[in-house]
Amino acid sequence: MDKKTIEKLELNKILASIALFAVLPQTKRGLVEEEPCTELSQVKKLLDLTSEADDALFHAGVGRIEEFPEISDELERSAKGSTLSCKELLGVSLLLRSARVAYRSIKTLPQAPLLCELADGIYFDESLERDITDKILSEDEVSDYASDDLYNIRRSIRSLNEKVRNKLSEYLSGEGSKFLQEGIVTMRDNRYVLPVRAEYKTRIRGFVHDRSASGATFFIEPEQILEMNNELRELAAAEKEEIERILAQLSHRVGAMADQLAVDIERLSEIDRAYAKAEFSYKNKCIRPLINNRGIIDISKGRHPLLDPKIAVPVSVALGRDYKILLVSGPNTGGKTVTLKMCGLFCMMAACGIFIPAAQGSEVSVFEKIFCDIGDAQSIEENLSTFSSHIKNIIEITQAADSKSLVLIDELGGGTDPDEGQAIAKAVIGYLLKQGCSGIVTTHYTALKEYAYEQKGIENASMEFDMNTLQPLYRVSLGVPGSSNAIAISRRLGLSEEILENAVANLSEGGRQFENILRTAEQSKIEADEAKKEAEALKAEWKEKLAEVNVERDKLKKEREKLFLNARVESRRIVNERTEQAEELLAQIEEIAHKRDLTESDLIRARTLKNRLADKAYLSEAETEDPKGAANADFARLKAGDRVFVGVMQSAGEILSLNQKKKEAEVQVGNMRLNVKASDLYEMSPVVKKQKNSQRDRIQVVRKIEPVREVKTEINLLGMTVSEAIQEVDAFIDQAVLGELDEVKIIHGIGTGKLKEGIRNHLRGMKNVAEFRSGVYGEGEAGVTIVKLK
């Protein structure tokens, strides 16, 4: 790919930004020098590698490549037998560690085959890595424990140093101290000496090593430590030899694997490069684009990566399917050049395996060559004007472009006479279409806009401009050419109104009409787009409100069902209670009736019982029967006062009024008034009617609901039989349902388990029981059953 094109489209700046995310210096250099790939399969592989790197870093939690210095030259030297320094060996250990960490982290990612393939070729030697770090403490220090010999030598040196210092300290503290210039021990030529005053140099027997510049001090090695200093020199030489031996041994091991470590550097750098691209893509909110080699570009909401994302307006551009060349027109500073550069840059970024800042589903093509002519390329050195330089670029493009090329030209035919410029522009576009090139061309020429309507394979597009605010909107509108709006922009920038009026007068009639049509069409499209957005917003708002209404309706429906359920439970409880009371009263009357000799007190008691029975209100058992098999009531023949069976209440009721339009009836069921649909009204059976008529004179039927008493949350059934317990459980569950409890506790104990089993068998058949379980620790465990109610 041409270096000039890379710089014009600013791919070099993108690569420099990505290099900041790289760890290794060789990776940074390689990224800055990288060029786009032109093979579709290779581009897909590069994008796959970036995808795997993104998943590894930001989903699998894999760490970055660990840093190590550039040591290629050191590896070469070690392979030839040279001994490496401590610093160089520490660099090798960092490489070994980086290779080991990368290999082990990547091999945990079976979903990353390309990274795993790179990791498979990585070599590391944990033993050598450990030996280097254990034996070398810093760039200029070897550990005492690097070898037994080194340890013994250094121990001997320390011991001998101590003896020398002790011996010399006698001079410092004894009578000889008066001969010394200073009360210190110093060194000359790596030998311990004493600073002796010049006048006393003969008083201390020994070897003179040096004297001060003034001649006042002589540095003398006393003869008493001469041998010890000699021994120290020998030990120092032995220490140096041992260190060299240790370093040579480690260097030899490095040299034996130098070729493999060189491969490590290449593979780690390649992984580091993929990680850097993934991190750049993540930080800039980029997506992986779709790729083709058919010249199709379809960018949705693309942002130029070098613009501030907070202020950059996303742009959508498409070409390559129904047309090969896009002709973009519109006002200056409207974003034409940025859009043109963005398309070329996105294609180059994808060809380097870099994701693009656009919406999901965006697609770019892989091109063998990308050409561009953007900006003022005037050259003083080559004596070229703007137009000459422009035409020189056009000549190079037309000579080399083919069907696998992308051509980007800003202001084609500009910089010269408009008539000639338009003619050249038409000819160039026609030639590019003939060659099958894909491309984007920007222009202000009216003739080119008209040409795009006539010529197949080219499509008009415009950068939208708001005539109300006289501001560019930075949006591409396909299918419609744009007005340059030069006069409007000049007015906004403050050009004299007199000059502007003369400018309008100088426009040709056809030019004025065409520009007015374009402006009107452009403004109409902007207004239509705004209206469409408002309509879509309103539609979304009403959909949201409708969803809320539906939720509220479902909620009310559930509450209504719960109310009806509670009402049925309460009605059954009342019926059962009153039936028991009636049976008890009738039994007492029957007991009196069976007496042979009735006394006056018996008659008074019987009359009292009869009055009490007459005062009670009961519902006939037939009136609460399930209406299975009963026919729906004929709604057209019903009238106020008729008695019907209400299915939802499982009870009889009396019709108060009818709504023929809604097919609903207002029905009195006990103390409740309900609006019931016709489909839920059933005819009363003849038996019920007959019983009702026969009992009307002697029993008054009334619904009388007593206030609900305080509801208990648990019941104790200890000591009861199964049948007794079941009766208690029925009443307890009914009261709990009426009290709207969610959960209750039944205490039955453990015992033989019969009571527990009988209760649970009964609970399984109860409609109001959702589920039950044994108690946990603190609730009574197996001695209780916790019941969850519907």
Side-chain angles (χ1 to χ4, degrees):
M1 199 71 69
D2 184 28
K3 291 283 187 185
K4 185 169 65 174
T5 301
I6 290 175
E7 291 176 3
K8 283 280 186 181
L9 296 179
E10 300 178 297
L11 176 66
N12 57 324
K13 294 181 180 179
I14 300 298
L15 292 172
S17 298
I18 295 172
L20 298 176
F21 294 103
V23 173
L24 306 177
Q26 53 266 43
T27 306
K28 295 178 185 291
R29 283 198 309 274
L31 276 167
V32 171
E33 298 168 0
E34 186 169 349
E35 291 188 6
C37 183
T38 58
E39 290 291 331
L40 180 64
S41 59
Q42 188 62 26
V43 171
K44 286 182 177 178
K45 186 175 180 181
L46 288 173
L47 290 171
D48 286 342
L49 187 59
T50 305
S51 294
E52 291 181 10
D54 177 81
D55 183 64
L57 289 176
F58 303 109
H59 297 93
V62 171
R64 300 295 306 274
I65 295 297
E66 295 201 7
E67 188 176 1
F68 58 86
E70 295 189 75
I71 55 170
S72 298
D73 293 341
E74 287 80 353
L75 293 178
E76 258 184 71
R77 285 176 29 233
S78 66
K80 294 176 181 178
S82 297
T83 299
L84 303 181
S85 67
C86 292
K87 179 180 178 180
E88 292 167 338
L89 285 168
L90 285 175
V92 173
S93 74
L94 290 175
L95 168 59
L96 289 168
R97 173 180 170 79
S98 182
R100 173 175 57 83
V101 171
Y103 176 86
R104 289 180 176 170
S105 62
I106 290 173
K107 292 304 285 183
T108 63
L109 304 172
Q111 71 276 19
L114 294 177
L115 284 176
C116 288
E117 183 181 343
L118 286 172
D120 285 337
I122 292 177
Y123 174 83
F124 62 93
D125 187 333
E126 200 167 355
S127 173
L128 176 58
E129 177 195 341
R130 186 170 52 250
D131 283 348
I132 293 175
T133 53
D134 287 348
K135 293 180 179 182
I136 301 177
L137 300 179
S138 66
E139 294 181 357
D140 53 9
E141 184 181 2
V142 176
S143 171
D144 292 351
Y145 303 98
S147 72
D148 292 340
D149 289 342
L150 184 61
Y151 178 81
N152 292 329
I153 290 170
R154 286 183 172 175
R155 186 175 63 175
S156 299
I157 290 173
R158 285 192 292 270
S159 176
L160 193 55
N161 273 324
E162 189 66 27
K163 289 179 182 180
V164 171
R165 287 183 171 277
N166 289 338
K167 194 67 178 175
L168 291 175
S169 64
E170 295 176 4
Y171 287 92
L172 299 178
S173 58
E175 291 184 1
S177 61
K178 61 186 178 182
F179 305 133
L180 303 180
Q181 189 72 277
E182 296 179 80
I184 60 171
V185 175
T186 186
M187 297 193 78
R188 287 293 184 275
D189 299 329
N190 290 322
R191 299 176 74 89
Y192 288 103
V193 295
L194 293 173
V196 181
R197 294 178 182 177
E199 61 269 26
Y200 297 121
K201 65 178 181 179
T202 58
R203 304 296 297 271
I204 296 181
R205 297 173 61 83
F207 181 77
V208 178
H209 283 270
D210 196 8
R211 72 174 181 174
S212 64
S214 63
T217 304
F218 283 75
F219 296 96
I220 300 174
E221 179 183 3
E223 62 179 8
Q224 294 176 335
I225 64 167
L226 189 63
E227 288 301 322
M228 286 188 284
N229 269 336
N230 288 340
E231 190 176 349
L232 278 174
R233 294 288 292 272
E234 292 174 4
L235 288 171
E239 179 189 25
K240 183 179 179 182
E241 289 176 3
E242 182 60 18
I243 289 174
E244 288 178 353
R245 186 192 68 79
I246 293 168
L247 295 180
Q249 185 184 51
L250 293 173
S251 299
H252 176 73
R253 292 172 65 184
V254 172
M257 62 178 72
D259 292 341
Q260 294 163 307
L261 293 179
V263 173
D264 279 2
I265 293 174
E266 292 178 5
R267 290 182 175 256
L268 291 172
S269 180
E270 193 168 349
I271 295 170
D272 187 33
R273 181 179 304 199
Y275 284 170
K277 291 176 182 178
E279 190 161 356
F280 171 86
S281 300
Y282 178 80
K283 299 278 183 170
N284 288 277
K285 298 180 180 178
C286 299
I287 58 98
R288 175 177 178 163
L290 303 174
I291 293 292
N292 67 81
N293 59 356
R294 304 187 306 278
I296 296 173
I297 298 174
D298 190 353
I299 297 170
S300 174
K301 297 181 180 178
R303 295 176 290 101
H304 196 292
L306 297 179
L307 295 178
D308 186 351
K310 294 180 181 177
I311 60 174
V313 179
V315 176
S316 298
V317 182
L319 63 97
R321 288 191 173 91
D322 299 328
Y323 48 89
K324 299 289 286 185
I325 293 180
L326 189 66
L327 184 69
V328 183
S329 52
N332 289 318
T333 70
K336 298 191 301 295
T337 304
V338 171
T339 300
L340 179 142
K341 292 172 72 173
M342 181 191 74
C343 291
L345 178 60
F346 279 8
C347 291
M348 283 188 164
M349 288 173 65
C352 291
I354 307 166
F355 293 174
I356 63 173
Q360 287 290 348
S362 295
E363 184 172 5
V364 294
S365 180
V366 177
F367 296 98
E368 290 186 359
K369 289 172 280 190
I370 297 179
F371 302 97
C372 70
D373 178 55
I374 300 173
D376 185 357
Q378 185 177 26
S379 173
I380 296 174
E381 292 82 0
E382 297 181 19
N383 195 26
L384 293 174
S385 67
T386 299
F387 178 73
S388 299
S389 177
H390 173 64
I391 289 300
K392 184 181 177 183
N393 290 336
I394 297 300
I395 291 170
E396 292 176 357
I397 290 171
T398 53
Q399 286 177 344
D402 56 23
S403 61
K404 296 181 180 178
S405 302
L406 175 66
V407 177
L408 306 168
I409 304 177
D410 192 23
E411 303 294 349
L412 178 58
T416 188
D417 177 75
D419 289 337
E420 293 184 351
Q422 291 180 77
I424 292 172
K426 283 184 184 179
V428 170
I429 291 176
Y431 180 81
L432 294 176
L433 286 171
K434 184 178 177 182
Q435 296 301 112
C437 301
S438 297
I440 301 177
V441 177
T442 68
T443 188
H444 288 288
Y445 290 147
T446 300
L448 276 185
K449 301 172 189 176
E450 295 172 348
Y451 176 74
Y453 277 124
E454 302 166 358
Q455 188 67 34
K456 187 177 181 182
I458 181 171
E459 180 65 70
N460 267 309
S462 61
M463 302 304 298
E464 294 183 0
F465 185 81
D466 192 338
M467 290 300 297
N468 296 321
T469 63
L470 299 181
Q471 294 286 346
L473 299 176
Y474 305 105
R475 293 199 301 259
V476 177
S477 180
L478 293 175
V480 180
S483 172
S484 296
N485 291 296
I487 293 176
I489 293 173
S490 299
R491 180 177 283 111
R492 177 171 62 85
L493 295 176
L495 188 62
S496 167
E497 195 64 34
E498 180 182 352
I499 296 174
L500 291 172
E501 289 176 1
N502 289 332
V504 172
N506 291 331
L507 286 174
S508 66
E509 185 62 28
R512 265 201 309 270
Q513 289 179 357
F514 188 77
E515 288 295 314
N516 287 335
I517 290 170
L518 286 182
R519 277 195 292 271
T520 303
E522 188 176 348
Q523 189 63 25
S524 297
K525 185 178 185 303
I526 292 171
E527 292 173 358
D529 288 343
E530 292 298 327
K532 182 181 177 184
K533 285 182 182 177
E534 290 180 9
E536 288 176 349
L538 284 172
K539 183 179 178 182
E541 183 182 350
W542 281 110
K543 277 186 177 179
E544 185 177 346
K545 289 183 177 180
L546 181 60
E548 291 176 358
V549 169
N550 288 335
V551 169
E552 191 65 25
R553 184 186 63 186
D554 293 341
K555 182 179 177 183
L556 291 173
K557 184 178 178 182
K558 289 179 181 178
E559 289 180 355
R560 182 185 177 208
E561 290 175 353
K562 185 176 180 181
L563 176 65
F564 284 167
L565 176 64
N566 291 341
R568 283 202 301 271
V569 171
E570 176 65 8
S571 63
R572 286 177 180 173
R573 185 192 68 78
I574 293 172
V575 168
N576 292 336
E577 183 179 321
R578 296 301 174 85
T579 301
E580 290 177 1
Q581 293 175 359
E583 287 177 352
E584 184 178 348
L585 292 173
L586 287 171
Q588 292 181 29
I589 293 172
E590 187 176 355
E591 182 183 346
I592 295 172
H594 282 79
K595 284 187 177 182
R596 292 183 179 179
D597 299 322
L598 292 175
T599 63
E600 186 177 351
S601 62
D602 289 334
L603 293 174
I604 294 172
R605 181 169 171 238
R607 191 178 297 110
T608 302
L609 291 172
K610 176 180 177 298
N611 292 335
R612 285 177 60 190
L613 185 61
D615 289 340
K616 297 295 180 181
Y618 308 111
L619 279 175
S620 169
E621 185 177 349
E623 291 183 55
T624 62
E625 288 180 348
D626 194 325
K628 283 186 179 178
N632 280 96
D634 187 350
F635 193 79
R637 300 177 63 182
L638 290 176
K639 59 183 182 300
D642 286 352
R643 293 190 62 77
V644 290
F645 190 92
V646 182
V648 70
M649 294 295 294
Q650 291 292 294
S651 299
E654 183 179 338
I655 292 178
L656 301 177
S657 64
L658 296 167
N659 188 328
Q660 295 292 343
K661 288 185 179 180
K662 293 185 177 180
K663 294 292 184 182
E664 286 184 354
E666 185 182 8
V667 183
Q668 178 87 29
V669 181
N671 286 345
M672 293 183 292
R673 293 190 177 199
L674 305 173
N675 288 326
V676 184
K677 292 188 178 296
S679 59
D680 202 33
L681 297 175
Y682 298 88
E683 291 183 356
M684 297 291 289
S685 66
V687 175
V688 173
K689 292 180 179 177
K690 183 178 178 181
Q691 290 176 346
K692 177 65 184 170
N693 292 334
S694 62
Q695 294 176 8
R696 185 171 296 172
D697 295 333
R698 59 188 183 86
I699 298 178
Q700 181 184 5
V701 179
V702 181
R703 281 291 314 275
K704 187 176 180 182
I705 300 177
E706 296 178 1
V708 178
R709 298 183 293 273
E710 183 179 351
V711 183
K712 296 180 180 179
T713 59
E714 64 179 49
I715 184 173
N716 191 335
L717 306 176
L718 294 175
M720 295 185 185
T721 63
V722 173
S723 58
E724 292 172 344
I726 287 173
Q727 292 181 6
E728 293 293 328
V729 166
D730 285 341
F732 174 65
I733 294 295
D734 286 343
Q735 287 294 328
V737 170
L738 291 173
E740 297 186 350
L741 297 182
D742 293 325
E743 194 176 85
V744 294
K745 182 194 291 186
I746 299 175
I747 303 171
H748 46 63
I750 299 174
T752 61
K754 289 185 178 180
L755 181 58
K756 171 183 175 182
E757 183 179 357
I759 290 170
R760 292 195 172 184
N761 286 337
H762 185 65
L763 289 174
R764 290 187 183 96
M766 297 186 73
K767 293 182 180 179
N768 293 325
V769 174
E771 59 183 16
F772 57 84
R773 60 176 174 84
S774 296
V776 297
Y777 181 78
E779 289 182 330
E781 299 180 56
V784 302
T785 294
I786 307 298
V787 182
K788 186 175 181 181
L789 302 175
K790 292 182 180 177

